Amino acid sequence: MADGLWWLPSLLVFGGAAVALAAGIVGARRLGRRRELADLEGGRAVEVRAKQLIVETDERVREARREIAFAEAQFGAEAARPMREVSDRAERWLREAFLLQQRLDDAVPDTAAERRSWSARISELCVSALGALEQAETALGARRAAERGAGATLAELPETAARLARRRQDAAAALDRLATRFRPTALVGGRAALARVDAALAASASALAEPAGAGDAERAARISADLDRAAADLDLLDRLELELADAERAAGEGMRRLDAELVEARRQRDALSDPESARELGEAIAGVAETIGGAVAEGARRAAADQAAAGLADPLADRDRMRAALDRLEAARAEARTAQARLDGARSALGGALAIAESQLGVARALVERGRGLVGADARTRLAEAERQLVIARQEPDPVAALDAARRAAARAADAEALAAWDAGAGRS
């Protein structure tokens, strides 16, 4: 009995080893998952910093565009070219950073190593863009200081800053007045410009408070750049009321134009013979009509509501909404016109295509009949397919599809003719 169980110790040893191995594998996997989670958690700070840099860089790129426009007005396009080139390069870096951030934000799971690598690359791109923009802005500020004369500028800067501070107070009062007529969303740009003015004036005041020294020329250039930015933003605030008035007029004109376009679009829809094109154009008409109806209802609410509540207007959004609706309607009408033109062209060409196909079929059929047993399967197959396509062309209600079938029938019949002629010639020889 004891000799019969000689294998039991070996079984216990191997079984224990297998259990230990399985436990080790499970433990390693769990440890790997824990490490991966720990790595992901450890990379959160890097990802948060990368997002902060993206926001900062995007803002600086937008500021650079404004700076370029101001420099072109002040010095000319050629002088602003270096700044524009730097801005374009920074925008390319920013676009790459946005693409990497999209990878981080999408639903596809990423490894901790990938997320760390992408976040580090985002930070690198943004830092490079910020550094390049900083250098370009410094060079532009130095040019401004050179244009004015650094010594004279430094003496005049406190008066310039005081004048801009007074303009800032007037702009803030005008913005508060506009807030009684327009929604906050219409004044977002103005509020942001006012915040930039405050930041520029604060920076210039801090620099003016520094004691005189060897770096006065550089300090004057820095202060001049801050005050120039503040002046540009104050000019923007001065134009804000006119811009809102223009937007109100544009929104009203857009509404009237949309009404007229809707009438024409409905006539076009009713004249369409293609059901699919008519359906698509009808959907576009319904969407635009809904946009107009919503705008009219909003206007009625504004007229009836308190000016302090939801009755405030946003002419910029109204103008953009009207433009978007008009673009959608024009695109739908153009697509419908294209589809109708294809149908009309197909209808006019269908008769000739059918006649060509029938004629070609007659030639091929006669050649097959004359060749009898000499004509092989390939020619007969092409002939049968040509006959089938001709039947489809005659029965197809869609003129475009019918025209395509007729042309295929003619092509197959031509193939059948050529093959039958070859077979008959080869058989005679």
mmCIF file of all heavy atoms in Angstrom, residues 67 70 134 137-138 140-142 144-145 148 150-162 164 196-197 199-212 215-232:
data_model
loop_
_atom_site.group_PDB
_atom_site.id
_atom_site.type_symbol
_atom_site.label_atom_id
_atom_site.label_comp_id
_atom_site.label_asym_id
_atom_site.label_seq_id
_atom_site.Cartn_x
_atom_site.Cartn_y
_atom_site.Cartn_z
ATOM 1 N N GLU A 67 -0.775 92.727 -30.134
ATOM 2 C CA GLU A 67 0.472 93.489 -30.156
ATOM 3 C C GLU A 67 0.974 93.687 -31.585
ATOM 4 O O GLU A 67 1.488 94.749 -31.942
ATOM 5 C CB GLU A 67 1.536 92.763 -29.324
ATOM 6 C CG GLU A 67 2.788 93.560 -29.055
ATOM 7 C CD GLU A 67 2.573 94.653 -28.030
ATOM 8 O OE1 GLU A 67 1.603 94.579 -27.242
ATOM 9 O OE2 GLU A 67 3.378 95.595 -28.044
ATOM 10 N N PHE A 70 -1.035 96.375 -33.271
ATOM 11 C CA PHE A 70 -0.635 97.687 -32.770
ATOM 12 C C PHE A 70 0.725 98.092 -33.348
ATOM 13 O O PHE A 70 0.936 99.251 -33.732
ATOM 14 C CB PHE A 70 -0.580 97.654 -31.242
ATOM 15 C CG PHE A 70 -0.234 98.968 -30.617
ATOM 16 C CD1 PHE A 70 -1.065 100.061 -30.770
ATOM 17 C CD2 PHE A 70 0.923 99.118 -29.877
ATOM 18 C CE1 PHE A 70 -0.752 101.279 -30.192
ATOM 19 C CE2 PHE A 70 1.250 100.331 -29.305
ATOM 20 C CZ PHE A 70 0.413 101.417 -29.456
ATOM 21 N N GLU A 134 8.167 86.362 -25.195
ATOM 22 C CA GLU A 134 8.740 87.328 -24.260
ATOM 23 C C GLU A 134 9.907 88.077 -24.906
ATOM 24 O O GLU A 134 10.017 89.310 -24.793
ATOM 25 C CB GLU A 134 9.210 86.604 -22.999
ATOM 26 C CG GLU A 134 9.784 87.525 -21.934
ATOM 27 C CD GLU A 134 8.740 88.438 -21.314
ATOM 28 O OE1 GLU A 134 7.555 88.046 -21.279
ATOM 29 O OE2 GLU A 134 9.104 89.553 -20.895
ATOM 30 N N GLU A 137 8.546 90.496 -27.576
ATOM 31 C CA GLU A 137 7.905 91.675 -26.976
ATOM 32 C C GLU A 137 8.941 92.616 -26.381
ATOM 33 O O GLU A 137 8.794 93.849 -26.446
ATOM 34 C CB GLU A 137 6.902 91.226 -25.917
ATOM 35 C CG GLU A 137 5.658 90.560 -26.511
ATOM 36 C CD GLU A 137 4.790 89.909 -25.451
ATOM 37 O OE1 GLU A 137 5.160 89.997 -24.253
ATOM 38 O OE2 GLU A 137 3.762 89.312 -25.814
ATOM 39 N N THR A 138 9.997 92.049 -25.796
ATOM 40 C CA THR A 138 11.061 92.898 -25.250
ATOM 41 C C THR A 138 11.752 93.689 -26.358
ATOM 42 O O THR A 138 12.030 94.889 -26.218
ATOM 43 C CB THR A 138 12.086 92.032 -24.503
ATOM 44 O OG1 THR A 138 11.422 91.334 -23.440
ATOM 45 C CG2 THR A 138 13.193 92.889 -23.922
ATOM 46 N N LEU A 140 10.457 94.528 -29.209
ATOM 47 C CA LEU A 140 9.530 95.538 -29.700
ATOM 48 C C LEU A 140 9.464 96.723 -28.749
ATOM 49 O O LEU A 140 9.411 97.888 -29.174
ATOM 50 C CB LEU A 140 8.148 94.913 -29.884
ATOM 51 C CG LEU A 140 7.128 95.721 -30.671
ATOM 52 C CD1 LEU A 140 7.630 96.023 -32.078
ATOM 53 C CD2 LEU A 140 5.799 94.951 -30.754
ATOM 54 N N GLY A 141 9.495 96.441 -27.447
ATOM 55 C CA GLY A 141 9.505 97.523 -26.469
ATOM 56 C C GLY A 141 10.761 98.373 -26.565
ATOM 57 O O GLY A 141 10.717 99.600 -26.422
ATOM 58 N N ALA A 142 11.899 97.709 -26.837
ATOM 59 C CA ALA A 142 13.147 98.459 -26.999
ATOM 60 C C ALA A 142 13.073 99.374 -28.218
ATOM 61 O O ALA A 142 13.575 100.506 -28.198
ATOM 62 C CB ALA A 142 14.314 97.488 -27.135
ATOM 63 N N ARG A 144 10.352 100.726 -29.399
ATOM 64 C CA ARG A 144 9.505 101.865 -29.043
ATOM 65 C C ARG A 144 10.291 102.896 -28.241
ATOM 66 O O ARG A 144 10.149 104.101 -28.444
ATOM 67 C CB ARG A 144 8.295 101.376 -28.251
ATOM 68 C CG ARG A 144 7.279 100.594 -29.074
ATOM 69 C CD ARG A 144 5.970 100.446 -28.316
ATOM 70 N NE ARG A 144 4.979 99.750 -29.122
ATOM 71 C CZ ARG A 144 4.580 98.507 -28.930
ATOM 72 N NH1 ARG A 144 5.105 97.794 -27.946
ATOM 73 N NH2 ARG A 144 3.671 97.957 -29.713
ATOM 74 N N ALA A 145 11.095 102.386 -27.302
ATOM 75 C CA ALA A 145 11.886 103.314 -26.492
ATOM 76 C C ALA A 145 12.897 104.064 -27.349
ATOM 77 O O ALA A 145 13.130 105.262 -27.163
ATOM 78 C CB ALA A 145 12.606 102.542 -25.392
ATOM 79 N N ARG A 148 11.321 106.921 -29.262
ATOM 80 C CA ARG A 148 10.956 108.106 -28.480
ATOM 81 C C ARG A 148 12.183 108.799 -27.883
ATOM 82 O O ARG A 148 12.148 109.996 -27.604
ATOM 83 C CB ARG A 148 10.016 107.699 -27.341
ATOM 84 C CG ARG A 148 8.690 107.159 -27.834
ATOM 85 C CD ARG A 148 7.869 106.700 -26.664
ATOM 86 N NE ARG A 148 6.577 106.208 -27.097
ATOM 87 C CZ ARG A 148 5.666 105.686 -26.278
ATOM 88 N NH1 ARG A 148 5.921 105.591 -24.995
ATOM 89 N NH2 ARG A 148 4.517 105.275 -26.743
ATOM 90 N N ALA A 150 15.069 107.340 -24.894
ATOM 91 C CA ALA A 150 14.861 106.739 -23.572
ATOM 92 C C ALA A 150 14.858 107.772 -22.468
ATOM 93 O O ALA A 150 14.033 107.745 -21.573
ATOM 94 C CB ALA A 150 15.944 105.689 -23.312
ATOM 95 N N GLY A 151 15.807 108.747 -22.509
ATOM 96 C CA GLY A 151 15.878 109.706 -21.421
ATOM 97 C C GLY A 151 14.636 110.561 -21.329
ATOM 98 O O GLY A 151 14.058 110.746 -20.274
ATOM 99 N N ALA A 152 14.221 111.091 -22.489
ATOM 100 C CA ALA A 152 13.021 111.930 -22.486
ATOM 101 C C ALA A 152 11.796 111.126 -22.107
ATOM 102 O O ALA A 152 10.918 111.599 -21.399
ATOM 103 C CB ALA A 152 12.844 112.555 -23.862
ATOM 104 N N THR A 153 11.725 109.877 -22.564
ATOM 105 C CA THR A 153 10.565 109.052 -22.279
ATOM 106 C C THR A 153 10.415 108.807 -20.790
ATOM 107 O O THR A 153 9.327 108.873 -20.238
ATOM 108 C CB THR A 153 10.671 107.711 -23.025
ATOM 109 O OG1 THR A 153 10.745 107.974 -24.411
ATOM 110 C CG2 THR A 153 9.486 106.831 -22.741
ATOM 111 N N LEU A 154 11.509 108.497 -20.109
ATOM 112 C CA LEU A 154 11.431 108.203 -18.691
ATOM 113 C C LEU A 154 10.894 109.389 -17.911
ATOM 114 O O LEU A 154 10.152 109.222 -16.936
ATOM 115 C CB LEU A 154 12.824 107.801 -18.179
ATOM 116 C CG LEU A 154 12.877 107.240 -16.767
ATOM 117 C CD1 LEU A 154 11.980 106.032 -16.635
ATOM 118 C CD2 LEU A 154 14.301 106.883 -16.388
ATOM 119 N N ALA A 155 11.215 110.601 -18.332
ATOM 120 C CA ALA A 155 10.698 111.781 -17.641
ATOM 121 C C ALA A 155 9.227 112.008 -17.949
ATOM 122 O O ALA A 155 8.485 112.556 -17.116
ATOM 123 C CB ALA A 155 11.521 113.011 -18.051
ATOM 124 N N GLU A 156 8.790 111.598 -19.130
ATOM 125 C CA GLU A 156 7.401 111.840 -19.523
ATOM 126 C C GLU A 156 6.454 110.732 -19.077
ATOM 127 O O GLU A 156 5.232 110.921 -19.081
ATOM 128 C CB GLU A 156 7.316 111.951 -21.054
ATOM 129 C CG GLU A 156 8.082 113.129 -21.628
ATOM 130 C CD GLU A 156 8.212 113.036 -23.140
ATOM 131 O OE1 GLU A 156 7.741 112.022 -23.693
ATOM 132 O OE2 GLU A 156 8.785 113.959 -23.748
ATOM 133 N N LEU A 157 7.014 109.581 -18.706
ATOM 134 C CA LEU A 157 6.163 108.421 -18.437
ATOM 135 C C LEU A 157 5.178 108.612 -17.289
ATOM 136 O O LEU A 157 4.037 108.148 -17.390
ATOM 137 C CB LEU A 157 7.039 107.187 -18.195
ATOM 138 C CG LEU A 157 7.723 106.629 -19.437
ATOM 139 C CD1 LEU A 157 8.618 105.459 -19.076
ATOM 140 C CD2 LEU A 157 6.690 106.196 -20.473
ATOM 141 N N PRO A 158 5.547 109.267 -16.156
ATOM 142 C CA PRO A 158 4.550 109.446 -15.092
ATOM 143 C C PRO A 158 3.319 110.208 -15.561
ATOM 144 O O PRO A 158 2.177 109.862 -15.215
ATOM 145 C CB PRO A 158 5.318 110.222 -14.018
ATOM 146 C CG PRO A 158 6.742 109.854 -14.246
ATOM 147 C CD PRO A 158 6.877 109.723 -15.738
ATOM 148 N N GLU A 159 3.534 111.246 -16.393
ATOM 149 C CA GLU A 159 2.379 111.999 -16.907
ATOM 150 C C GLU A 159 1.535 111.131 -17.839
ATOM 151 O O GLU A 159 0.297 111.167 -17.797
ATOM 152 C CB GLU A 159 2.879 113.240 -17.650
ATOM 153 C CG GLU A 159 1.746 114.105 -18.202
ATOM 154 C CD GLU A 159 2.268 115.301 -18.967
ATOM 155 O OE1 GLU A 159 3.481 115.550 -18.904
ATOM 156 O OE2 GLU A 159 1.452 115.974 -19.620
ATOM 157 N N THR A 160 2.214 110.322 -18.676
ATOM 158 C CA THR A 160 1.478 109.416 -19.566
ATOM 159 C C THR A 160 0.662 108.415 -18.754
ATOM 160 O O THR A 160 -0.503 108.139 -19.068
ATOM 161 C CB THR A 160 2.462 108.668 -20.479
ATOM 162 O OG1 THR A 160 3.224 109.622 -21.227
ATOM 163 C CG2 THR A 160 1.722 107.747 -21.431
ATOM 164 N N ALA A 161 1.262 107.862 -17.701
ATOM 165 C CA ALA A 161 0.553 106.898 -16.858
ATOM 166 C C ALA A 161 -0.652 107.555 -16.187
ATOM 167 O O ALA A 161 -1.737 106.945 -16.088
ATOM 168 C CB ALA A 161 1.506 106.327 -15.810
ATOM 169 N N ALA A 162 -0.491 108.808 -15.722
ATOM 170 C CA ALA A 162 -1.617 109.502 -15.078
ATOM 171 C C ALA A 162 -2.740 109.745 -16.079
ATOM 172 O O ALA A 162 -3.937 109.605 -15.748
ATOM 173 C CB ALA A 162 -1.132 110.822 -14.474
ATOM 174 N N LEU A 164 -3.432 107.973 -18.742
ATOM 175 C CA LEU A 164 -4.085 106.692 -19.013
ATOM 176 C C LEU A 164 -4.951 106.250 -17.833
ATOM 177 O O LEU A 164 -5.998 105.619 -18.030
ATOM 178 C CB LEU A 164 -3.032 105.627 -19.322
ATOM 179 C CG LEU A 164 -2.275 105.814 -20.644
ATOM 180 C CD1 LEU A 164 -1.209 104.733 -20.793
ATOM 181 C CD2 LEU A 164 -3.236 105.773 -21.823
ATOM 182 N N ARG A 196 -6.778 93.980 -18.340
ATOM 183 C CA ARG A 196 -5.426 94.112 -18.883
ATOM 184 C C ARG A 196 -4.888 95.531 -18.664
ATOM 185 O O ARG A 196 -3.699 95.721 -18.382
ATOM 186 C CB ARG A 196 -5.416 93.781 -20.374
ATOM 187 C CG ARG A 196 -5.657 92.312 -20.673
ATOM 188 C CD ARG A 196 -5.296 91.986 -22.121
ATOM 189 N NE ARG A 196 -6.094 92.743 -23.080
ATOM 190 C CZ ARG A 196 -7.244 92.324 -23.591
ATOM 191 N NH1 ARG A 196 -7.755 91.169 -23.204
ATOM 192 N NH2 ARG A 196 -7.906 93.063 -24.469
ATOM 193 N N VAL A 197 -5.763 96.530 -18.765
ATOM 194 C CA VAL A 197 -5.341 97.913 -18.498
ATOM 195 C C VAL A 197 -4.882 98.044 -17.055
ATOM 196 O O VAL A 197 -3.834 98.639 -16.760
ATOM 197 C CB VAL A 197 -6.498 98.889 -18.806
ATOM 198 C CG1 VAL A 197 -6.162 100.285 -18.291
ATOM 199 C CG2 VAL A 197 -6.767 98.942 -20.301
ATOM 200 N N ALA A 199 -3.740 95.725 -15.087
ATOM 201 C CA ALA A 199 -2.468 95.021 -14.892
ATOM 202 C C ALA A 199 -1.306 95.827 -15.456
ATOM 203 O O ALA A 199 -0.236 95.933 -14.837
ATOM 204 C CB ALA A 199 -2.537 93.639 -15.547
ATOM 205 N N ALA A 200 -1.498 96.422 -16.637
ATOM 206 C CA ALA A 200 -0.422 97.206 -17.252
ATOM 207 C C ALA A 200 -0.114 98.453 -16.439
ATOM 208 O O ALA A 200 1.059 98.808 -16.245
ATOM 209 C CB ALA A 200 -0.813 97.578 -18.680
ATOM 210 N N LEU A 201 -1.155 99.131 -15.958
ATOM 211 C CA LEU A 201 -0.927 100.332 -15.152
ATOM 212 C C LEU A 201 -0.257 99.991 -13.832
ATOM 213 O O LEU A 201 0.608 100.740 -13.342
ATOM 214 C CB LEU A 201 -2.251 101.058 -14.912
ATOM 215 C CG LEU A 201 -2.885 101.720 -16.146
ATOM 216 C CD1 LEU A 201 -4.216 102.363 -15.780
ATOM 217 C CD2 LEU A 201 -1.942 102.767 -16.746
ATOM 218 N N ALA A 202 -0.641 98.864 -13.229
ATOM 219 C CA ALA A 202 0.000 98.446 -11.977
ATOM 220 C C ALA A 202 1.470 98.122 -12.205
ATOM 221 O O ALA A 202 2.339 98.499 -11.399
ATOM 222 C CB ALA A 202 -0.730 97.235 -11.404
ATOM 223 N N ALA A 203 1.767 97.432 -13.311
ATOM 224 C CA ALA A 203 3.168 97.106 -13.598
ATOM 225 C C ALA A 203 3.981 98.366 -13.867
ATOM 226 O O ALA A 203 5.133 98.492 -13.402
ATOM 227 C CB ALA A 203 3.234 96.171 -14.806
ATOM 228 N N SER A 204 3.404 99.317 -14.597
ATOM 229 C CA SER A 204 4.149 100.553 -14.883
ATOM 230 C C SER A 204 4.347 101.378 -13.612
ATOM 231 O O SER A 204 5.413 101.968 -13.408
ATOM 232 C CB SER A 204 3.405 101.371 -15.934
ATOM 233 O OG SER A 204 2.134 101.780 -15.456
ATOM 234 N N ALA A 205 3.350 101.398 -12.734
ATOM 235 C CA ALA A 205 3.496 102.144 -11.476
ATOM 236 C C ALA A 205 4.590 101.539 -10.613
ATOM 237 O O ALA A 205 5.383 102.258 -9.993
ATOM 238 C CB ALA A 205 2.166 102.150 -10.722
ATOM 239 N N SER A 206 4.645 100.212 -10.589
ATOM 240 C CA SER A 206 5.695 99.555 -9.808
ATOM 241 C C SER A 206 7.070 99.863 -10.381
ATOM 242 O O SER A 206 8.030 100.126 -9.639
ATOM 243 C CB SER A 206 5.449 98.045 -9.799
ATOM 244 O OG SER A 206 6.491 97.373 -9.130
ATOM 245 N N ALA A 207 7.186 99.864 -11.710
ATOM 246 C CA ALA A 207 8.478 100.154 -12.335
ATOM 247 C C ALA A 207 8.873 101.615 -12.147
ATOM 248 O O ALA A 207 10.048 101.935 -11.956
ATOM 249 C CB ALA A 207 8.422 99.808 -13.815
ATOM 250 N N LEU A 208 7.895 102.527 -12.181
ATOM 251 C CA LEU A 208 8.195 103.942 -11.986
ATOM 252 C C LEU A 208 8.669 104.233 -10.563
ATOM 253 O O LEU A 208 9.405 105.200 -10.336
ATOM 254 C CB LEU A 208 6.958 104.787 -12.301
ATOM 255 C CG LEU A 208 6.624 104.971 -13.778
ATOM 256 C CD1 LEU A 208 5.247 105.611 -13.948
ATOM 257 C CD2 LEU A 208 7.698 105.823 -14.482
ATOM 258 N N ALA A 209 8.244 103.404 -9.637
ATOM 259 C CA ALA A 209 8.635 103.610 -8.241
ATOM 260 C C ALA A 209 10.060 103.144 -7.960
ATOM 261 O O ALA A 209 10.606 103.435 -6.890
ATOM 262 C CB ALA A 209 7.662 102.873 -7.315
ATOM 263 N N GLU A 210 10.675 102.430 -8.891
ATOM 264 C CA GLU A 210 12.046 101.960 -8.692
ATOM 265 C C GLU A 210 13.004 103.155 -8.717
ATOM 266 O O GLU A 210 12.787 104.128 -9.428
ATOM 267 C CB GLU A 210 12.424 100.971 -9.786
ATOM 268 C CG GLU A 210 11.606 99.685 -9.761
ATOM 269 C CD GLU A 210 11.944 98.779 -10.932
ATOM 270 O OE1 GLU A 210 12.900 99.103 -11.675
ATOM 271 O OE2 GLU A 210 11.258 97.748 -11.103
ATOM 272 N N PRO A 211 14.077 103.076 -7.943
ATOM 273 C CA PRO A 211 15.045 104.191 -7.942
ATOM 274 C C PRO A 211 15.796 104.275 -9.259
ATOM 275 O O PRO A 211 15.941 103.285 -9.979
ATOM 276 C CB PRO A 211 15.989 103.834 -6.786
ATOM 277 C CG PRO A 211 15.866 102.345 -6.645
ATOM 278 C CD PRO A 211 14.445 102.017 -7.010
ATOM 279 N N ALA A 212 16.262 105.460 -9.597
ATOM 280 C CA ALA A 212 17.015 105.661 -10.838
ATOM 281 C C ALA A 212 18.335 104.905 -10.767
ATOM 282 O O ALA A 212 18.902 104.687 -9.694
ATOM 283 C CB ALA A 212 17.263 107.153 -11.060
ATOM 284 N N GLY A 215 20.092 101.005 -15.227
ATOM 285 C CA GLY A 215 19.134 100.318 -16.090
ATOM 286 C C GLY A 215 17.934 101.153 -16.456
ATOM 287 O O GLY A 215 16.857 100.595 -16.753
ATOM 288 N N ASP A 216 18.066 102.488 -16.433
ATOM 289 C CA ASP A 216 16.911 103.338 -16.714
ATOM 290 C C ASP A 216 16.386 103.157 -18.137
ATOM 291 O O ASP A 216 15.177 103.232 -18.372
ATOM 292 C CB ASP A 216 17.281 104.813 -16.491
ATOM 293 C CG ASP A 216 17.280 105.172 -15.009
ATOM 294 O OD1 ASP A 216 16.839 104.316 -14.211
ATOM 295 O OD2 ASP A 216 17.711 106.286 -14.661
ATOM 296 N N ALA A 217 17.279 102.949 -19.089
ATOM 297 C CA ALA A 217 16.823 102.796 -20.475
ATOM 298 C C ALA A 217 15.960 101.545 -20.623
ATOM 299 O O ALA A 217 14.900 101.583 -21.253
ATOM 300 C CB ALA A 217 18.030 102.720 -21.417
ATOM 301 N N GLU A 218 16.425 100.459 -20.022
ATOM 302 C CA GLU A 218 15.644 99.218 -20.088
ATOM 303 C C GLU A 218 14.329 99.373 -19.334
ATOM 304 O O GLU A 218 13.279 98.900 -19.776
ATOM 305 C CB GLU A 218 16.463 98.072 -19.504
ATOM 306 C CG GLU A 218 15.745 96.738 -19.542
ATOM 307 C CD GLU A 218 16.580 95.628 -18.930
ATOM 308 O OE1 GLU A 218 17.770 95.850 -18.651
ATOM 309 O OE2 GLU A 218 16.007 94.540 -18.726
ATOM 310 N N ARG A 219 14.385 100.054 -18.190
ATOM 311 C CA ARG A 219 13.159 100.266 -17.405
ATOM 312 C C ARG A 219 12.183 101.122 -18.193
ATOM 313 O O ARG A 219 10.963 100.871 -18.193
ATOM 314 C CB ARG A 219 13.521 100.937 -16.080
ATOM 315 C CG ARG A 219 12.344 101.152 -15.133
ATOM 316 C CD ARG A 219 12.823 101.330 -13.706
ATOM 317 N NE ARG A 219 13.709 102.472 -13.578
ATOM 318 C CZ ARG A 219 13.330 103.662 -13.101
ATOM 319 N NH1 ARG A 219 12.082 103.858 -12.723
ATOM 320 N NH2 ARG A 219 14.196 104.654 -12.996
ATOM 321 N N ALA A 220 12.678 102.148 -18.864
ATOM 322 C CA ALA A 220 11.800 103.004 -19.660
ATOM 323 C C ALA A 220 11.148 102.215 -20.785
ATOM 324 O O ALA A 220 9.956 102.393 -21.077
ATOM 325 C CB ALA A 220 12.594 104.173 -20.229
ATOM 326 N N ALA A 221 11.921 101.318 -21.412
ATOM 327 C CA ALA A 221 11.341 100.496 -22.481
ATOM 328 C C ALA A 221 10.246 99.594 -21.944
ATOM 329 O O ALA A 221 9.198 99.423 -22.574
ATOM 330 C CB ALA A 221 12.446 99.662 -23.137
ATOM 331 N N ARG A 222 10.482 99.011 -20.761
ATOM 332 C CA ARG A 222 9.481 98.133 -20.178
ATOM 333 C C ARG A 222 8.212 98.892 -19.809
ATOM 334 O O ARG A 222 7.088 98.435 -20.066
ATOM 335 C CB ARG A 222 10.079 97.452 -18.943
ATOM 336 C CG ARG A 222 9.241 96.317 -18.388
ATOM 337 C CD ARG A 222 9.973 95.538 -17.317
ATOM 338 N NE ARG A 222 10.195 96.338 -16.108
ATOM 339 C CZ ARG A 222 11.359 96.795 -15.690
ATOM 340 N NH1 ARG A 222 12.455 96.576 -16.419
ATOM 341 N NH2 ARG A 222 11.470 97.490 -14.576
ATOM 342 N N ILE A 223 8.378 100.066 -19.229
ATOM 343 C CA ILE A 223 7.212 100.871 -18.843
ATOM 344 C C ILE A 223 6.461 101.341 -20.089
ATOM 345 O O ILE A 223 5.220 101.324 -20.129
ATOM 346 C CB ILE A 223 7.656 102.076 -17.988
ATOM 347 C CG1 ILE A 223 8.273 101.602 -16.674
ATOM 348 C CG2 ILE A 223 6.469 102.994 -17.697
ATOM 349 C CD1 ILE A 223 8.948 102.700 -15.883
ATOM 350 N N SER A 224 7.215 101.764 -21.104
ATOM 351 C CA SER A 224 6.572 102.214 -22.337
ATOM 352 C C SER A 224 5.729 101.113 -22.959
ATOM 353 O O SER A 224 4.614 101.362 -23.442
ATOM 354 C CB SER A 224 7.636 102.689 -23.331
ATOM 355 O OG SER A 224 8.312 103.820 -22.839
ATOM 356 N N ALA A 225 6.282 99.887 -22.953
ATOM 357 C CA ALA A 225 5.522 98.769 -23.519
ATOM 358 C C ALA A 225 4.230 98.536 -22.742
ATOM 359 O O ALA A 225 3.160 98.316 -23.329
ATOM 360 C CB ALA A 225 6.381 97.510 -23.519
ATOM 361 N N ASP A 226 4.302 98.614 -21.399
ATOM 362 C CA ASP A 226 3.093 98.430 -20.588
ATOM 363 C C ASP A 226 2.069 99.522 -20.875
ATOM 364 O O ASP A 226 0.860 99.243 -21.029
ATOM 365 C CB ASP A 226 3.455 98.436 -19.097
ATOM 366 C CG ASP A 226 4.183 97.162 -18.671
ATOM 367 O OD1 ASP A 226 3.960 96.120 -19.319
ATOM 368 O OD2 ASP A 226 4.963 97.204 -17.705
ATOM 369 N N LEU A 227 2.535 100.749 -20.962
ATOM 370 C CA LEU A 227 1.600 101.850 -21.200
ATOM 371 C C LEU A 227 1.037 101.798 -22.618
ATOM 372 O O LEU A 227 -0.136 102.159 -22.827
ATOM 373 C CB LEU A 227 2.306 103.189 -20.961
ATOM 374 C CG LEU A 227 2.745 103.454 -19.505
ATOM 375 C CD1 LEU A 227 3.439 104.797 -19.394
ATOM 376 C CD2 LEU A 227 1.550 103.377 -18.550
ATOM 377 N N ASP A 228 1.843 101.367 -23.565
ATOM 378 C CA ASP A 228 1.318 101.230 -24.933
ATOM 379 C C ASP A 228 0.218 100.177 -24.977
ATOM 380 O O ASP A 228 -0.797 100.353 -25.667
ATOM 381 C CB ASP A 228 2.450 100.850 -25.883
ATOM 382 C CG ASP A 228 3.371 102.019 -26.171
ATOM 383 O OD1 ASP A 228 2.929 103.168 -25.983
ATOM 384 O OD2 ASP A 228 4.526 101.781 -26.565
ATOM 385 N N ARG A 229 0.425 99.058 -24.273
ATOM 386 C CA ARG A 229 -0.627 98.022 -24.236
ATOM 387 C C ARG A 229 -1.886 98.571 -23.567
ATOM 388 O O ARG A 229 -3.008 98.303 -24.012
ATOM 389 C CB ARG A 229 -0.127 96.798 -23.474
ATOM 390 C CG ARG A 229 0.990 96.041 -24.164
ATOM 391 C CD ARG A 229 1.261 94.700 -23.479
ATOM 392 N NE ARG A 229 2.468 94.087 -23.980
ATOM 393 C CZ ARG A 229 3.651 94.126 -23.385
ATOM 394 N NH1 ARG A 229 3.771 94.748 -22.216
ATOM 395 N NH2 ARG A 229 4.704 93.554 -23.923
ATOM 396 N N ALA A 230 -1.709 99.321 -22.489
ATOM 397 C CA ALA A 230 -2.868 99.903 -21.810
ATOM 398 C C ALA A 230 -3.605 100.863 -22.742
ATOM 399 O O ALA A 230 -4.848 100.865 -22.801
ATOM 400 C CB ALA A 230 -2.424 100.623 -20.543
ATOM 401 N N ALA A 231 -2.857 101.674 -23.502
ATOM 402 C CA ALA A 231 -3.489 102.613 -24.425
ATOM 403 C C ALA A 231 -4.251 101.877 -25.518
ATOM 404 O O ALA A 231 -5.372 102.275 -25.903
ATOM 405 C CB ALA A 231 -2.426 103.524 -25.044
ATOM 406 N N ALA A 232 -3.665 100.779 -26.027
ATOM 407 C CA ALA A 232 -4.353 100.006 -27.066
ATOM 408 C C ALA A 232 -5.652 99.405 -26.532
ATOM 409 O O ALA A 232 -6.679 99.415 -27.222
ATOM 410 C CB ALA A 232 -3.434 98.906 -27.587
#
